[in-house]
Amino acid sequence: MSKREKTVTRLNSQYMQQYDAHMERQKRKKQRLIRRLVLFSIIAAIVIGSMTVYHIQQRAIHAEKVEEYEQLEEEYASLKDKEKSYKEEIELLQDEEYVLDVARTNYFFSKEGELIFNLPEDEPSY
């Protein structure tokens, strides 16, 4: 009794043919629905995947730009400091006494009757 035998016979009537046709249409509708859902899912996965890749690329580009911006900010600050020191030096070079003092120390320029002795800066070898 584990296997039941078919004891019901199928009637060949117009109603049964209409019912079979209806069931076949329902089956095809279901198949089309499944195909459309699978196609939509594939398209959605592709769109989401491409958007994710684009987002990751944009984040990487943004990180590079932020790093470059910080480096340029540091360079800008150092250039501002150099500019400030150059302006101070220009102001000092306007003073004749300062120019003479620099010439005396760096280029051994002397005043009238002044003697300059050049002393070696390294330690003697003995």
Side-chain angles (χ1 to χ4, degrees):
M1 277 203 153
S2 64
K3 189 175 180 185
R4 287 189 166 189
E5 292 182 29
K6 267 188 170 180
T7 56
V8 178
T9 59
R10 184 172 171 85
L11 296 175
N12 248 351
S13 68
Q14 186 175 1
Y15 171 76
M16 288 305 291
Q17 289 173 357
Q18 288 176 353
Y19 179 75
D20 289 341
H22 173 72
M23 292 304 284
E24 187 66 31
R25 281 192 306 271
Q26 292 295 331
K27 183 178 172 184
R28 277 192 253 126
K29 269 185 168 178
K30 191 173 183 180
Q31 284 178 340
R32 285 193 304 256
L33 175 66
I34 290 173
R35 286 181 189 152
R36 282 190 302 243
L37 288 175
V38 167
L39 180 65
F40 176 75
S41 299
I42 290 171
I43 291 172
I46 290 172
V47 168
I48 290 172
S50 64
M51 289 175 70
T52 302
V53 168
Y54 179 75
H55 178 72
I56 290 170
Q57 288 175 344
Q58 289 300 312
R59 286 182 67 127
I61 290 171
H62 177 69
E64 290 174 6
K65 295 293 182 184
V66 166
E67 184 178 328
E68 183 181 352
Y69 177 76
E70 290 172 356
Q71 289 175 349
L72 290 175
E73 283 285 323
E74 291 173 6
E75 186 179 340
Y76 178 71
S78 68
L79 290 175
K80 278 289 199 183
D81 291 340
K82 280 186 181 180
E83 180 187 21
K84 186 177 179 183
S85 68
Y86 288 150
K87 283 185 178 182
E88 289 174 359
E89 189 174 347
I90 289 172
E91 286 180 24
L92 287 174
L93 289 173
Q94 299 296 323
D95 184 21
E96 189 175 324
E97 287 295 320
Y98 178 76
V99 172
L100 289 174
D101 191 38
V102 169
R104 219 184 293 54
T105 57
N106 292 343
Y107 303 109
F108 305 114
F109 184 73
S110 64
K111 293 182 182 178
E112 284 282 330
E114 189 176 51
L115 293 174
I116 298 176
F117 295 100
N118 188 8
L119 299 175
E121 294 183 17
D122 354 11
E123 294 290 321
S125 60
Y126 49 83

